[in-house]
Amino acid sequence: MSRRHKPRKSNKNQTAERPMILWRRIQALAVVTILAPVALLGQIMPRPQQIMYWHKDGVVYQEWDRAEYTFQGPGKGGKVIHKVPDYLLPDSLDCFDGVYWATAKRERGDGGRILDVFWSPSGSQWFLSAVLDAPKDSVPCRIMPLDTGLFLVESLHGFHQGRQHSFLATATLSKDQKLSIKDILDPNLKKPLFQRDRLGAWEVHPGCAALSTGFGYLVARSEDAILMADGKLGWIWIVETRKQSPSLRLVRLYPGIDESYLDRPFGRGLEMGILGIQPRKNGHFLIAARSEQAVLHGRDFEKQVEPIRNVHDRGTLAKNASLAEGRRMSVSTYPELEWWDLDPVGGQVTREPTPAGLPRKFSSPGEIEGFRFRIDINDRVIGGD
């Protein structure tokens, strides 16, 4: 266990009942809800990637909607499947410094939320490490441990301190296991991220409406960094885990996509660019993405399609045929699949050759929708499941 945390055995009676809606389902629903009219206009969305972590001498895999995870160690007998206990949020699983982490959620009567952070040395017994009692205007949705006694906390309501506003903040741990917000992490945007509404509550600034679901639903972690990426903008926020005072670094995969795209509603008219991000054994990250031209112009072929104003409208045969043709033309015109290496410490993004056995190009929208990749214990890139 990391040197900074003093464990206490878990008490299931102190934790909330098993939540009916998991955090990643909330994120996915938020993305789908915001983009629903656009998705019906032909947007090509990739399949959710497997979540993976390098853990001691092995690697951990998890499907985002399953209450179990698989540890793959060296050798034929190194595969072990763990169940996530009922009192923990299955989608909060995290691995860092050779330790498993997860959280439980308790709702307060005033609209606030309490998150209990647990750790486990082996995935079997879990111990309480920290408690975050958050104000209702900054309800947390994710907590991830950093080094040097800090935790990274995410809230879609944002954290606010003077003129500082962000979805992310660091928290410190007291001797009695209480977490308190320390620093708000500057998102490095020219536009203000939040503003007050007419009732005085914080809301995402209209000029940043495209970030209303946070810094992205693509999240990946190595021992040295946590990445949060917006798949359309191609923006990747990096938090280095080993720094005494972590900050946010913003890396842009697509130079042509600037902040002018933030205030464009319903997906900004962009196609999904980043299809997946996975951590590598050396601490870098491997990114699979469509080309910048595909992101900027892949949806040009749907211009003649009548907008769908009712998200429950299944569309006429003619409209659906037009959508299918637009999607086919998009992939036919911009078929490339690009691979990139990201060094989170230096912030450099470098073009990579296509891994053996993985595609260089897509031939249909269905191939993009079914695309997945992961990295095995031998550091080989594997496609599919």
Side-chain angles (χ1 to χ4, degrees), residues 8-254:
R8 181 159 61 88
K9 288 189 177 180
S10 64
N11 184 343
K12 296 183 184 181
N13 294 328
Q14 293 177 351
T15 58
E17 295 179 1
R18 182 185 181 88
M20 297 300 292
I21 302 177
L22 307 179
W23 161 234
R24 286 194 182 95
R25 287 180 182 167
I26 294 173
Q27 277 193 313
L29 179 61
V31 172
V32 171
T33 300
I34 289 174
L35 302 182
V38 184
L40 291 174
L41 287 178
Q43 187 174 82
I44 304 173
M45 298 292 291
R47 187 179 174 194
Q49 300 291 305
Q50 273 190 327
I51 305 152
M52 62 168 289
Y53 307 93
W54 293 97
H55 182 64
K56 295 182 180 178
D57 58 347
V59 62
V60 175
Y61 301 104
Q62 186 193 25
E63 297 290 348
W64 68 271
D65 59 348
R66 293 184 188 174
E68 64 180 32
Y69 54 97
T70 301
F71 172 78
Q72 181 63 62
K76 293 183 178 180
K79 184 177 180 179
V80 181
I81 297 177
H82 296 280
K83 296 288 185 181
V84 178
D86 286 348
Y87 59 93
L88 297 176
L89 295 163
D91 55 332
S92 69
L93 182 73
D94 189 20
C95 297
F96 180 61
D97 269 354
V99 175
Y100 295 100
W101 298 85
T103 59
K105 181 180 72 172
R106 290 180 281 158
E107 301 293 347
R108 289 205 320 257
D110 64 352
R113 178 179 297 168
I114 300 173
L115 288 183
D116 299 311
V117 184
F118 291 82
W119 72 278
S120 174
S122 63
S124 53
Q125 274 192 305
W126 290 84
F127 304 92
L128 183 65
S129 173
V131 177
L132 176 62
D133 192 347
K136 62 181 180 180
D137 63 349
S138 292
V139 176
C141 54
R142 188 197 307 267
I143 300 180
M144 303 177 77
L146 305 173
D147 204 4
T148 66
L150 296 176
F151 287 81
L152 180 67
V153 185
E154 181 185 13
S155 170
L156 296 188
H157 293 79
F159 298 98
H160 314 284
Q161 191 175 79
R163 294 186 177 182
Q164 286 187 302
H165 310 281
S166 181
F167 293 113
L168 296 173
T170 57
T172 56
L173 184 64
S174 67
K175 293 182 179 179
D176 61 353
Q177 297 182 307
K178 303 296 184 183
L179 284 171
S180 57
I181 299 302
K182 179 178 181 286
D183 294 318
I184 295 175
L185 302 186
D186 187 343
N188 296 299
L189 299 175
K190 296 176 183 177
K191 297 182 179 182
L193 185 55
F194 284 87
Q195 68 177 17
R196 295 275 194 183
D197 65 14
R198 58 186 180 85
L199 299 177
W202 289 108
E203 65 178 4
V204 175
H205 192 282
C208 290
L211 296 176
S212 59
T213 55
F215 287 146
Y217 62 96
L218 290 169
V219 180
R221 117 111 80 192
S222 70
E223 289 296 299
D224 295 321
I226 295 171
L227 303 189
M228 294 189 176
D230 184 295
K232 286 194 166 193
L233 295 170
W235 293 5
I236 305 168
W237 282 270
I238 303 173
V239 182
E240 291 185 49
T241 59
R242 306 297 186 187
K243 285 191 172 181
Q244 292 286 339
S245 298
S247 59
L248 274 182
R249 179 191 291 127
L250 177 56
V251 173
R252 305 180 192 229
L253 186 63
Y254 304 118

Side-chain angles (χ1 to χ4, degrees), residues 44-47 49 275 290 327-328 331-332 334-337 358-373 384:
I44 304 173
M45 298 292 291
R47 187 179 174 194
Q49 300 291 305
L275 306 182
R290 298 189 70 185
R327 286 157 53 93
R328 188 193 68 77
V331 178
S332 175
Y334 306 107
E336 297 83 5
L337 173 59
L358 276 292
R360 291 191 307 109
K361 296 182 178 181
F362 294 112
S363 60
S364 70
E367 287 186 359
I368 297 176
E369 292 170 334
F371 174 77
R372 302 180 83 182
F373 81 96

